[in-house]
Amino acid sequence: MHHFTYRQNQLFCEELPVAAIAAQHGTPLYLYSRRTYRENFQRIDQAFAPWPHQICFALKANSNPQILRDFAELGCGADVVSVGELQLALQAGIPPQRIVFAGVGKRDDEIIAGIEAGIRGFNVESEAELAVINELAGRRKKIAPVSLRLNPDIDIHGHPYISTGRAADKFGIELNRAHALFAEIRDSRHVRMVGLHAHLGSQITDLWPFPKIGEVLANLAQAARAAGNHLDYIDVGGGLGAIYERAMKIAADTEPAPDLALPPAEIANTLLPALTRDLPKDCTVIFEPGRALVAGCGILITQVLYTKITRGKFFAVVDAGMTDLIRPSLYNAYHQIVPVIQRPGEWQSGDVVGPICESGDFLAKDRELPPMQRGDLLAVMTAGAYGFSLSSNYNARPRPAEVIVDGATMLLSRPRQKLETLWAT
Ligand code: LLP
């Protein structure tokens, strides 16, 4: 559930009116509901309770330090893909034993940082990377924990940019190389096999891929163990989708509304039996959601700068653009846009566009839009995942501020980037 509601035509985040927060902190502004992301973690964590498990938050979705600290406190681990994310996770208090390190292009210094930190495992994406980890660990007289990220060649039919588990995608190792590598790792001196990993892609809204990946990984686990490897974990990846369309029923939403595309319990109930049929209980199941934990908890608040009609077409020019939220421009992704304060009047079709000097800079295209005027505030819904984390300084625009609401209190978690920092080195 997300905790954005309307009370007497005013958008609230938990117990606070969004307009008042924007008045204090300015726009564009990312606003997060703490209750939403904490409840999402607890819901997913409880769903996996039937088996020893670890939820590892994919930091790439949102690495706000306060959100990370909250997840750390709740017992969440981390899926990291760079030394930067590794540092953030450790700094937030996530113990190294709850951290897995993925990514097709790990640099030597990043591998060394992971080894030194004592992470739970590297999710290795190629044979070449395996050799490098073995060598780097050897030079330090250490044994690095490795897990193989296998490419299961399953097509989830999502947007091609966010589908990662097809044979043609750059991620992971081909399934038919797995057996040879199980033997190679067993016989290597400076790597120890600790697990298996697969990740199908993002924004999964059907249940079927989860038992399917469970089945594939169960067979591989059997083979890995038969080859003499002990498995500490099986990492089933992330991918659980969020609700983007009709995230809010305007005016009618006085109660918290659902924000996950599938109930986590249904995922666990179909995935775990397939995956764990022959697995010993000391093998932890890792699930590494990013979007599902944070998408619904966040909105981007933006102010209408100008409205105009060009050749009969209505444009709302707002102060947030692709530098703040790139998903519409990059994936043609849909984000619902709602008024922060509803005003009476006619709805009309049009585009919501940003101030960036690119025609691809839009937040909504050909959308039925509520009545609005210069100065009005709009909320771009479901922006907590891959929003701020994908923001940029293009057009020399500072990154937006991030505020977290907890009940009736708010915390300025990350101030708006200062203009001076744009030329600081
Ligand atoms: N694990 C691995 C290895 C991943 O590559 C990803 C996401 C996740 C977990 C988390 O996936 P999630 O649960 O969030 O679906 N920027 C895109 C999404 C890119 C996802 C990349 N990998 C977007 O805004 O839709």
Side-chain angles (χ1 to χ4, degrees):
M1 294 291 187
H2 70 69
H3 293 276
F4 295 97
T5 54
Y6 276 109
R7 296 186 194 170
Q8 283 149 359
N9 301 335
Q10 270 228 49
L11 184 64
F12 272 66
C13 177
E14 302 193 15
E15 301 306 319
L16 291 181
V18 169
I21 301 170
Q24 187 167 341
H25 294 291
T27 55
L29 175 73
Y30 274 100
L31 184 61
Y32 305 116
S33 150
R34 188 170 191 232
R35 187 164 166 202
T36 304
Y37 63 77
R38 285 168 58 97
E39 282 179 2
N40 278 344
F41 173 80
Q42 283 158 339
R43 212 172 147 208
I44 294 174
D45 195 41
Q46 275 157 22
F48 281 79
W51 191 266
H53 67 282
Q54 177 65 58
I55 306 299
C56 286
F57 174 53
L59 256 71
K60 61 179 85 64
N62 188 325
S63 50
N64 175 281
Q66 182 58 43
I67 295 181
L68 295 184
R69 277 196 292 271
D70 285 340
F71 281 149
E73 232 166 68
L74 288 167
C76 190
D79 158 46
V80 303
V81 292
S82 68
V83 66
E85 287 192 351
L86 174 62
Q87 285 302 337
L88 287 173
L90 292 169
Q91 237 163 305
I94 298 176
Q97 269 301 301
R98 284 199 234 137
I99 299 177
V100 288
F101 196 148
V104 284
K106 302 180 190 78
R107 284 193 319 256
D108 290 13
D109 63 298
E110 297 184 303
I111 292 169
I112 292 164
I115 295 173
E116 299 293 346
I119 60 165
R120 186 146 189 177
F122 289 97
N123 289 334
V124 174
E125 306 236 11
S126 64
E127 297 183 42
E129 179 192 334
L130 184 62
V132 170
I133 295 177
N134 189 48
E135 191 197 320
L136 293 173
R139 278 198 229 149
R140 277 160 190 76
K141 307 207 176 351
K142 297 218 168 164
I143 298 175
V146 295
S147 125
L148 291 186
R149 175 174 183 172
L150 293 151
N151 183 325
D153 195 16
I154 297 173
D155 189 351
I156 56 163
H157 307 296
H159 190 286
Y161 285 13
I162 58 173
S163 131
T164 49
R166 303 165 306 175
D169 296 325
K170 68 176 175 179
F171 298 98
I173 295 168
E174 259 182 87
L175 275 186
N176 61 17
R177 290 293 300 149
H179 290 73
L181 290 175
F182 293 155
E184 188 182 317
I185 296 173
R186 183 198 55 211
D187 300 334
S188 295
R189 291 192 54 198
H190 296 288
V191 287
R192 175 171 45 93
M193 180 145 187
V194 291
L196 293 172
H197 177 230
H199 171 75
L200 293 171
S202 211
Q203 188 53 15
I204 301 175
T205 54
D206 291 326
L207 205 51
W208 67 263
F210 292 99
K212 191 151 181 183
I213 195 65
E215 184 71 34
V216 170
L217 286 168
N219 291 335
L220 286 162
Q222 213 172 22
R225 291 173 60 227
N229 297 290
H230 176 264
L231 296 183
D232 167 46
Y233 69 81
I234 297 190
D235 182 341
V236 299
L240 169 54
I243 293 177
Y244 286 92
E245 293 202 20
R246 287 178 293 281
M248 299 278 304
K249 294 184 267 352
I250 299 186
D253 255 338
T254 51
E255 297 294 324
D259 64 336
L260 299 183
L262 296 165
E266 275 185 38
I267 294 175
N269 291 344
T270 49
L271 170 76
L272 289 177
L275 178 63
T276 61
R277 48 162 216 254
D278 302 313
L279 221 53
K281 276 257 174 173
D282 66 353
C283 183
T284 302
V285 170
I286 292 182
F287 184 44
E288 44 180 37
R291 188 188 316 266
L293 285 171
V294 290
C297 84
I299 61 175
L300 172 64
I301 308 165
T302 181
Q303 192 169 31
V304 179
L305 296 174
Y306 307 101
T307 59
K308 65 174 180 178
I309 294 178
T310 306
R311 293 197 181 213
K313 180 165 182 165
F314 174 76
F315 288 94
V317 184
V318 299
D319 69 355
M322 63 191 290
T323 51
D324 309 295
L325 179 67
I326 202 175
R327 301 192 72 256
S329 306
L330 192 56
Y331 315 113
N332 214 7
Y334 175 97
H335 285 263
Q336 190 183 13
I337 297 182
V338 302
V340 169
I341 297 176
Q342 297 176 17
R343 58 163 72 243
E346 293 289 303
W347 286 54
Q348 63 184 320
S349 166
D351 292 1
V352 179
V353 299
I356 315 298
C357 300
E358 299 271 346
S359 305
D361 174 35
F362 62 89
L363 296 174
K365 269 211 180 278
D366 298 323
R367 190 76 66 80
E368 267 314 293
L369 297 170
M372 64 180 82
Q373 291 177 3
R374 172 172 163 82
D376 282 3
L377 295 171
L378 300 176
V380 185
M381 303 303 296
T382 328
Y386 307 107
F388 185 93
S389 63
L390 267 164
S391 65
S392 77
N393 289 127
Y394 182 47
N395 278 196
R397 285 166 52 85
R399 285 190 166 76
E402 289 178 293
V403 168
I404 298 178
V405 168
D406 183 12
T409 59
M410 69 170 146
L411 164 80
L412 174 61
S413 171
R414 181 151 31 199
R416 186 174 309 287
Q417 188 181 4
K418 292 201 165 45
L419 272 176
E420 306 87 88
T421 63
L422 293 177
W423 53 61
T425 51

